[in-house]
Amino acid sequence: MTLNQLRAFALVARLGSLRAAAAALNISEPAVSSSLAALRLDLGDALFVRAGAGIALTAGGRALADHAQEIVGLADQVRWEVSHAEESTANLRVVATAGFAEHAAGRLLDAFTRRVPGHSGGIDVVVESADDVGSLLQDHACDVALGARPPQGNQLEVVPFLRYQRVLVAAPEHPLTRLPASLTALLKELWFSGPAGVEEFTAESRWLAASFLASALGVPEIVPLSSETDALAAVRDGEGIMLAFMHIVRAEVAAGSLVVLPMPNTPIAGLWCASTLDHGRAPAAARTLQRFVTTAEATAAMLAPGGSRGVARRGSKVHVALWS
């Protein structure tokens, strides 16, 4: 059994065809077929059978698929760490969900690098959906995830670190501030959000489902803007409403420049988590950050007044060079 054979099989199992795996590896389909034939011979199992235009895994294939990508990912991580061993520090690879990335990531990582001596390397931050976080960790594509809890909790150590609240806000002159808010009235309004919309697997998405879908009323029209900061600006201008973080809008609500619309089951209580691979398989820097996020110092940094301090690019890497 070789890493190349496992890499080919992991791709075939995930993509569902030899042709797709060959394209991903940039090699010929016969080369993939040859690797898999050797792996089948070594393990004494067919691993998969043809099924229509794709493949179906055997019981042995399913057992191997559970481990193949993890083995390949770990090998890639080891190769990278060995090749960079002479560098003073390694970059910490962070994946963050959108709300956390925009409003808290920068403040938290600044505080982390000030507090942790010796972590003078850069921190690579990429913004992805909660649905992708678990696979990115398990594939060793990132070291630690911050923000919404991954729906795939298997083989992960998930540490809750901050409770937040979302409230429905509008400008003072908005018609809904002078009328009893109802689900029917809310459906007629334009809702704004950050670029990720209302993220799946979050308290916010569960509230929307329980409030609107359970009432068979449909769902509001939600317009994603380039950031939640831009969405909040549109709300201030009276163009619509949004679910905003209470700690972000608290001062404006107190000053009367924004109004919280009273709705059942609000404020919406959510929870941010720091997730890594379990059983000590995460890099030491990731485990250190995971411990740090639970401290009072980290909480104070994330909730500090003064507006957002984060990263908001989605789907591409942001290199944050931070020094202690």
Side-chain angles (χ1 to χ4, degrees):
M1 186 189 308
T2 69
L3 282 172
N4 285 340
Q5 292 166 4
L6 288 175
R7 191 182 304 276
F9 176 76
L11 281 169
V12 168
R14 179 159 61 88
L15 299 176
S17 79
L18 274 68
R19 179 175 298 176
L25 292 168
N26 199 28
I27 60 176
S28 68
E29 190 172 340
V32 172
S33 181
S34 177
S35 289
L36 296 179
L39 186 61
R40 286 166 147 174
L41 183 63
D42 184 39
L43 294 177
D45 190 283
L47 300 180
F48 63 87
V49 294
R50 299 282 183 177
I55 58 111
L57 297 179
T58 66
R62 289 192 296 272
L64 179 60
D66 289 340
H67 301 290
Q69 185 57 59
E70 181 181 354
I71 293 170
V72 170
L74 185 58
D76 289 342
Q77 179 181 333
V78 169
R79 183 177 288 109
W80 188 92
E81 290 181 358
V82 169
S83 67
H84 291 75
E86 294 184 0
E87 297 181 2
S88 57
T89 57
N91 291 341
L92 179 62
R93 301 171 301 167
V94 176
V95 59
T97 54
F100 178 84
E102 179 173 351
H103 293 292
R107 293 179 184 275
L108 173 67
L109 297 175
D110 283 346
F112 174 64
T113 54
R114 287 195 302 269
R115 170 56 58 186
V116 180
H119 189 85
S120 56
I123 298 179
D124 289 331
V125 184
V126 65
V127 184
E128 295 290 354
S129 69
D131 194 28
D132 294 328
V133 164
S135 59
L136 289 170
L137 288 168
Q138 290 167 0
D139 293 350
H140 300 270
C142 66
D143 303 317
V144 59
L146 301 174
R149 185 186 186 99
Q152 318 96 325
N154 293 338
Q155 300 180 333
L156 300 181
E157 181 178 350
V158 180
V159 176
F161 65 85
L162 186 69
R163 294 189 181 277
Y164 64 83
Q165 292 182 329
R166 291 265 196 184
V167 290
L168 194 60
V169 295
E173 64 275 12
H174 195 284
L176 284 180
T177 63
R178 298 185 293 275
L179 299 170
S182 68
L183 296 179
T184 302
L186 290 175
L187 279 173
K188 298 176 182 178
E189 298 299 326
L190 198 59
W191 293 49
F192 293 107
S193 73
V198 177
E199 293 186 274
E200 287 188 282
F201 311 108
T202 61
E204 298 91 309
S205 67
R206 290 191 290 273
W207 178 82
L208 280 173
S211 299
F212 291 94
L213 294 180
S215 304
L217 294 173
V219 293
E221 179 185 0
I222 298 176
V223 179
L225 299 184
S226 59
S227 68
E228 289 200 10
T229 301
D230 288 344
L232 199 54
V235 171
R236 290 191 197 98
D237 290 339
E239 298 176 23
I241 60 180
M242 76 173 290
L243 286 170
F245 285 113
M246 186 63 201
H247 67 277
I248 297 295
V249 300
R250 181 173 285 112
E252 292 183 84
V253 170
S257 54
L258 286 173
V259 176
V260 174
L261 301 176
M263 290 298 301
N265 301 313
T266 62
I268 303 165
L271 187 62
W272 281 332
C273 301
S275 306
T276 62
L277 293 175
D278 60 7
H279 303 305
R281 293 180 296 144
R287 297 196 300 273
T288 301
L289 176 57
Q290 191 178 43
R291 290 191 296 270
F292 175 75
V293 296
T294 64
T295 65
E297 181 180 358
T299 300
M302 288 182 282
L303 298 182
S308 300
R309 171 68 174 89
V311 294
R313 288 177 58 187
R314 181 174 176 82
S316 57
K317 188 175 291 185
V318 180
H319 182 75
V320 186
L322 302 170
W323 290 268
S324 56

